[in-house]
Every structure is written in C-alpha cells, then in structure tokens.
C-alpha cells in the first residue's frame, strides 16, 4: 500500500474530506486527489502539513526515505535537475519566500528570534557531516524526541499548517 492509500484510509477513518484537507493545508485538491488515485508517494513538506491538520505522525502517511530508511546509499539521493538558462533563482526565490513566510517566521514568533542563529549554525554543521554522521544525528534526535519531547512545544509546532 502506497502513501495515497494510507492517506485515504486515514481520511475515511477520521471522516475528513480531501477538500477539507486541501483548504486546511493550502495544498491543491487536484494534487491530493491525484496522490490518492495513483497511490503515489507524498512529498515530505506536504505530508508534514497533512499530518499536522489530521493530528497524526508524518511517518503514517509518508514513506520518505529520510523517515524510513537506515541505509543512505548514493542510489537513493535525489538529484535536482538544472534550471534552464535564465531561470536561475526564479523557482528558488519563490520557494525561499514561501519557506520563510510559512515556516521560519512562525517559528521565530513562537520561540524567539534569538535561537535562529543557533539553528542556522546547526543546519550548516549538519550538511558538513558525512552520511553516517547525519544518520547518527537523526537517530539521536529521534531518541531525544521519544524521551524528552515537550508536549506544549510540539502542540505549538503543529499549529504551523502551511509548512
């Protein structure tokens, strides 16, 4: 069973419609219907928004390799295509603006802007690690979340529905 069917089952179980999820997450209903009908995988950013509005864990509807897989080989890396000449920054600029507006700014409002330089440093350091080092960091974070998750902060994060 693919991500689309998992999503359909959860929607049926909760009595929610695709149109309701689309409205709450700002994901196109056409996109959601296509995911369900074709039983395709769900992009992680979409899965996160859907999970937040449905009150479920993202891993319940997203088979993204970073959530499920322990072995990160070069075959599993996603290589983004190069943009056509003259298109540099057009796509990326819009995505960056959307990310800042829908993710970073709400986080700053919730937890304060003083933590953002530390977060940027952590992110930069994370991408300097080897695949094994990143796996270790991911495993450490999962372990910490299982024993030290702050329910109030987790609830605040779930309020970010346009992630």
């Amino acid at each position: 069973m693919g991500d689309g069917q998992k999503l359909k089952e959860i929607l049926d179980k909760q009595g929610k419609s695709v149109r309701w999820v689309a409205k709450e997450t700002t994901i196109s209903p056409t996109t959601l219907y296509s995911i369900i009908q074709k039983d395709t995988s769900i992009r992680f950013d979409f899965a996160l928004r859907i999970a937040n509005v449905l009150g479920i864990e993202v891993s319940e509807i997203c088979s993204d390799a970073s959530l499920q897989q322990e072995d990160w080989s070069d075959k599993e890396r996603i290589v983004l295509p190069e943009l056509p000449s003259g298109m540099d920054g057009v796509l990326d600029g819009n995505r960056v603006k959307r990310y800042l507006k829908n993710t970073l700014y709400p986080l700053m409002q919730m937890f304060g802007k003083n933590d953002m330089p530390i977060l940027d440093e952590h992110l930069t350091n994370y991408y300097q690690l080897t695949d094994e080092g990143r796996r270790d960091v991911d495993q450490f974070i999962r372990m910490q979340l299982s024993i030290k998750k702050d329910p109030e902060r987790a609830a605040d994060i779930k309020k970010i529905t346009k992630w």
Side-chain angles (χ1 to χ4, degrees):
M1 176 184 329
D3 293 352
Q5 286 305 304
K6 290 178 195 173
L7 175 60
K8 174 85 170 105
E9 282 185 3
I10 291 169
L11 290 176
D12 291 344
K13 185 192 259 185
Q14 291 190 8
K16 306 282 187 193
S17 71
V18 171
R19 292 233 177 253
W20 179 86
V21 172
K23 182 180 175 194
E24 294 296 311
T25 61
T26 68
I27 299 170
S28 159
T30 307
T31 299
L32 293 172
Y33 281 119
S34 178
I35 289 168
I36 291 170
Q37 289 173 348
K38 295 177 182 176
D39 196 22
T40 58
S41 60
I42 301 174
R43 279 182 16 198
F44 181 76
D45 59 323
F46 284 1
L48 185 60
R49 287 191 266 171
I50 294 166
N52 283 344
V53 300
L54 293 175
I56 61 173
E57 293 296 322
V58 72
S59 59
E60 292 181 53
I61 58 167
C62 185
S63 58
D64 185 288
S66 65
L67 293 172
Q68 308 291 336
Q69 227 147 303
E70 291 298 321
D71 180 27
W72 296 359
S73 68
D74 285 343
K75 294 176 192 170
E76 295 155 351
R77 292 177 192 255
I78 297 171
V79 179
L80 298 174
E82 289 185 24
L83 292 173
S85 178
M87 292 290 290
D88 291 47
V90 174
L91 208 51
D92 294 297
N94 287 333
R95 286 183 177 166
V96 168
K97 285 181 189 175
R98 215 169 22 247
Y99 175 77
L100 291 173
K101 179 183 172 201
N102 296 332
T103 306
L104 206 51
Y105 292 155
L107 284 172
M108 288 171 66
Q109 286 178 324
M110 285 181 197
F111 302 110
K113 64 181 181 182
N114 295 335
D115 285 342
M116 296 330 249
I118 296 167
L119 182 60
D120 287 345
E121 182 181 350
H122 289 315
L123 188 58
T124 301
N125 290 338
Y126 178 84
Y127 283 108
Q128 293 179 56
L129 295 171
T130 63
D131 286 350
E132 181 181 3
R134 287 196 307 271
R135 273 196 307 272
D136 290 346
V137 169
D138 294 343
Q139 184 177 5
F140 178 78
I141 290 172
R142 280 192 295 272
M143 182 189 68
Q144 291 297 310
L145 282 171
S146 71
I147 59 175
K148 296 182 180 178
K149 189 173 190 176
D150 182 336
E152 290 179 18
R153 285 185 178 188
D156 286 341
I157 294 292
K158 288 198 179 272
K159 292 176 187 173
I160 303 175
T161 58
K162 293 183 180 180
W163 197 303

